[in-house]
Amino acid sequence: MPLILGMSVLLACQFIGELVARGLTLPIPGPVIGMVVLLVGLLVFGKVPKSLRLAGEGLLRYLTLLFVPAGVGLMVHFSLIGNDLWPIAVTLVVSTAVTLVVTLWALDRMNRRRGNGR
């Protein structure tokens, strides 16, 4: 029963996100808005309920299966990717570098705030 309750909460948040995204014609996917709704709900509640933890851990156990369709898409559309290989490669390198810099900046700032800075 706890698993059903946890999955129901996850699906309800996704449904709310879809309603908001379509109702307000936002360019943000409904599941992303649903995750924000879930985050706000968890912050208000103060902890993760056992049923939600059980459902989330069950989904995470099979997360690697979600990469299969992406791998198949890479193989099927390899010629299209080959045509735009340089823009894709540059985008990947630049976005990774920006992510690393922002992460380091945020970590440094949090360390300084806690008094652990040099």
Side-chain angles (χ1 to χ4, degrees), residues 35-85:
M35 284 192 303
V36 171
V37 169
L38 179 62
L39 175 65
V40 169
L42 290 174
L43 289 173
V44 168
F45 190 67
K47 64 178 184 171
V48 180
K50 184 179 177 185
S51 59
L52 191 59
R53 182 180 303 280
L54 182 65
E57 288 173 353
L59 289 172
L60 286 175
R61 189 173 304 128
Y62 301 105
L63 183 65
T64 55
L65 289 175
L66 296 176
F67 291 105
V68 172
V72 171
L74 285 172
M75 290 188 287
V76 169
H77 300 293
F78 191 72
S79 62
L80 290 173
I81 294 169
N83 293 339
D84 294 322
L85 184 61

Side-chain angles (χ1 to χ4, degrees), residues 21 24-29:
L24 300 176
T25 60
L26 297 174
I28 303 169

